[in-house]
Amino acid sequence: MSGLQSPKHPEELLDMYYNEMRSHLLEVASAFDRIERQGGTDDARLTKLRELARIAVDESPERAKRFQEYLSV
Amino acid sequence: MRVIEPHIHMIARTTQDYERMAMRHTIACCEPAFWAGYDRTSAAAFHDYFTHITTFEPNRAAQYLIDHYAWIGMNPKEAENIGLAREVVSFVPDFLDEPNVLGIGEIGLNKNTSNELEIFRKQVEIAIEHDKLMWLHTPHLDDKLKGTRLMLEVLADFPKLDREKVCFDHAEEHTLQMIRDAGYWAGMTIYPVTKNSPARVVDTLEQWGTDKMLVDASGDWGPSDPGTLHQAIFEMRRRGHDDDIVESVFYDNPCHFLGQVPKFKHKPRR
Ligand SMILES: [Zn+2]
């Protein structure tokens, strides 16, 4: 498999994406709060989202692929 | 539904933005003096800038039936150049009687330095002395919590200050409690990525209520959009809040805060 190699260093990428990553995480946090504030629910989709959040930030590679696989029926 | 934009930097926007705002029923907007994206090299440059937002912008806005108001002040970012900042602050009072000027702003802190604190304090003194409203800029991102606290401490040194006349802008989840506990108005800025999103603004209104709350899109030269104010209006309606309460946030509340200055001509519905 030969992909494209970006000339960017990891630090440069972090500079590019840090605020965006922060913002996405904050939006997720506030959406959980929003649902809970209305009394919450035991809807299985919330459990699914919590697991997806764990995958998204875990220490292993291919997070996006595993995220999508986790959702695939 | 009429809409008032309490914080936008029209100097950085095109005339088409005025047109878009007008089409979305924005009937007034307020432009606080801020950093231009580069550090100005002379006090004369600030003088020209203050002249621009008190003459050219009101005329440009009027073509779209938008009343343009301004806040005059030395922004915290350039307050680091303390000599220049002192010179600019010396002529801030000269602009306060211009027909569209509501008060001093946006003043506050940026990186929470001692120079910023000095210039902030000086301008608070001017506002109190001239009995003007204040529009306060709280710092960005990781500096916001500490900076908001420091600004509250500075203001606490002024027992004569009427807290009804002060709005802390760029408030977010972690700074609202202290601003409201102290009895000030709070502004929530919608700004892509680095400030509030429309959804989080509505969250805040749901948690805190609408009393002494303002919402603005703070459009400027950065990645921003005056239309995000209207996205927040739609988000509030989509959550099931009725139009009457929505209009109380986006129209009546600015009328109540800004209307403390007789120059501001719009009246709240109640
Ligand atoms: Zn601003």
Side-chain angles (χ1 to χ4, degrees), chain A residues 22-23 27 30 34 37, chain B residues 141 197 200 203 206 239:
Chain A
R22 171 193 181 277
S23 167
E27 291 304 316
S30 64
R34 190 175 307 145
R37 219 171 32 247
Chain B
L141 299 169
S197 62
R200 283 170 47 229
D203 290 340
E206 287 177 348
R239 294 255 190 114

Side-chain angles (χ1 to χ4, degrees), chain B residues 7-9 32-35 106 135 137 169-170 216 218-220:
Chain B
H7 182 165
I8 191 161
H9 300 287
F34 84 141
W35 186 54
E106 56 189 299
W135 190 267
H137 167 95
D169 201 14
H170 316 321
D216 57 78
S218 183
D220 56 24

Side-chain angles (χ1 to χ4, degrees), chain B residues 210 243-254 269-270:
Chain B
T210 60
D243 290 352
D244 183 64
I245 194 107
V246 176
E247 193 163 355
S248 77
V249 174
F250 293 88
Y251 175 76
D252 294 331
N253 278 5
R269 294 170 306 153
R270 55 176 183 271

